[in-house]
Amino acid sequence: MSKLICPDCQHQNEPERIYCHNCGARLDRSSLVTEKADAGESEAQTQKHLKKMFDPRRGRSKAVALKFGKVLLWALGTALLVLMILPPIDLPPETKSFELAPLINMELINATSSQQPVTLVYSEEQVNHYLASIVASKSSHAAEGYFPLRRILARFREDACGIEVQRRIFAFSMYAGASYRVRLVNGKILPQNLGGHIGRMPIHPSIMKVADLFLGKAWSTLDRERKSVARLSRIEFHPQSVTLIAGQ
């Protein structure tokens, strides 16, 4: 506690004194009043802080906020799961007949082995009939494993190609796909990923390795066709058709 200093003789007096114990001069007690007021204000702030800390409503508000956050996370996770399960929009019906299926791989082998330039043009329907025949073939590896491949679907648009894959997971179907643009680099045809999706959930091109878990089965099933395509000179995608050029 502060002591009162005499303004005349500078003697330190007890705070309860009115006159100096040494010289009898009247002491200035205004500093004690200010100090007491500051102490009272500090004490009031402390009490206010403690009251806020032990306020039961404060705990309830925190619990409500935490519960709301959990509900929001569950809702977001459920929404993402639903998007992943739903099939893509405008998915055409499965091909049941392979009468329109051309012998694409055989024609690719003949084209790349020819001494003359060869141009092959296939419609989207022809390609999808061929893909369906490959998946349904007894010699195909599509039906092997825990998550068999049920369907591969190609969709062509100007300068890009989309691949849709349907796989069976127990009694459910899971869909995934990706879009590609092809580039000719040092005489080799290289695909450029433009992004993809799992179900209806879009996947950014930089994280398309997630969707590759679903697409990998399709690539292994079409391994012969991929090797033949890699020997082409150029590929051109157009709405609902593809042009394959060899020997140029």
Side-chain angles (χ1 to χ4, degrees):
M1 186 177 289
S2 300
K3 292 187 177 182
L4 291 174
I5 299 176
C6 177
D8 292 342
C9 67
Q10 304 301 314
H11 179 73
Q12 293 185 356
N13 295 273
E14 291 76 8
E16 62 271 12
R17 287 188 173 275
I18 300 176
Y19 296 96
C20 179
H21 181 73
N22 183 47
C23 66
R26 189 176 180 87
L27 299 174
D28 183 8
R29 299 180 57 82
S30 60
S31 59
L32 288 181
V33 176
T34 303
E35 182 180 340
K36 186 175 181 180
D38 293 341
E41 183 179 353
S42 177
E43 184 178 354
Q45 290 178 347
T46 302
Q47 291 178 353
K48 184 178 180 181
H49 181 66
L50 290 174
K51 185 177 179 181
K52 185 177 180 181
M53 285 181 60
F54 292 101
D55 187 356
R57 293 175 299 177
R58 183 171 182 266
R60 286 198 298 269
S61 300
K62 186 176 181 180
V64 170
L66 184 61
K67 187 174 181 179
F68 176 76
K70 290 182 178 179
V71 171
L72 187 62
L73 287 176
W74 273 105
L76 182 60
T78 302
L80 290 177
L81 183 61
V82 170
L83 284 175
M84 292 173 64
I85 294 176
L86 289 174
I89 299 175
D90 299 331
L91 190 68
E94 292 188 50
T95 300
K96 300 298 182 181
S97 172
F98 312 128
E99 295 179 0
L100 297 179
L103 300 176
I104 293 182
N105 191 56
M106 185 63 67
E107 293 175 358
L108 282 173
I109 293 175
N110 293 334
T112 53
S113 301
S114 174
Q115 300 297 324
Q116 301 295 326
V118 178
T119 299
L120 303 174
V121 180
Y122 299 105
S123 68
E124 186 176 287
E125 184 179 22
Q126 287 177 310
V127 172
N128 285 324
H129 276 257
Y130 177 77
L131 294 176
S133 67
I134 292 295
V135 173
S137 173
K138 293 182 179 180
S139 61
S140 171
H141 301 290
E144 297 178 354
Y146 292 104
F147 309 127
L149 180 66
R150 180 170 177 175
R151 187 181 185 188
I152 305 174
L153 180 71
R155 296 187 178 187
F156 301 127
R157 63 181 188 273
E158 191 64 37
D159 200 32
C161 170
I163 298 294
E164 305 279 355
V165 170
Q166 178 184 358
R167 298 186 68 174
R168 296 290 293 180
I169 299 179
F170 302 108
F172 302 96
S173 289
M174 288 291 292
Y175 300 86
S179 294
Y180 300 92
R181 179 182 293 125
V182 293
R183 298 178 300 161
L184 190 64
V185 180
N186 297 326
K188 294 183 178 181
I189 294 177
L190 298 178
Q192 177 188 3
N193 192 286
L194 303 177
H197 63 86
I198 298 178
R200 295 183 186 178
M201 184 177 69
I203 304 295
H204 192 271
S206 60
I207 55 174
M208 267 304 296
K209 289 184 178 180
V210 177
D212 279 345
L213 295 174
F214 293 89
L215 298 176
K217 188 76 171 181
W219 302 143
S220 60
T221 301
L222 299 174
D223 187 59
R224 293 182 309 167
E225 287 74 13
R226 293 174 65 196
K227 291 178 179 178
S228 297
V229 168
R231 299 173 60 189
L232 293 173
S233 302
R234 194 165 76 249
I235 301 177
E236 297 178 357
F237 295 117
H238 303 287
Q240 299 184 341
S241 71
V242 59
T243 301
L244 310 176
I245 302 171
Q248 289 186 3

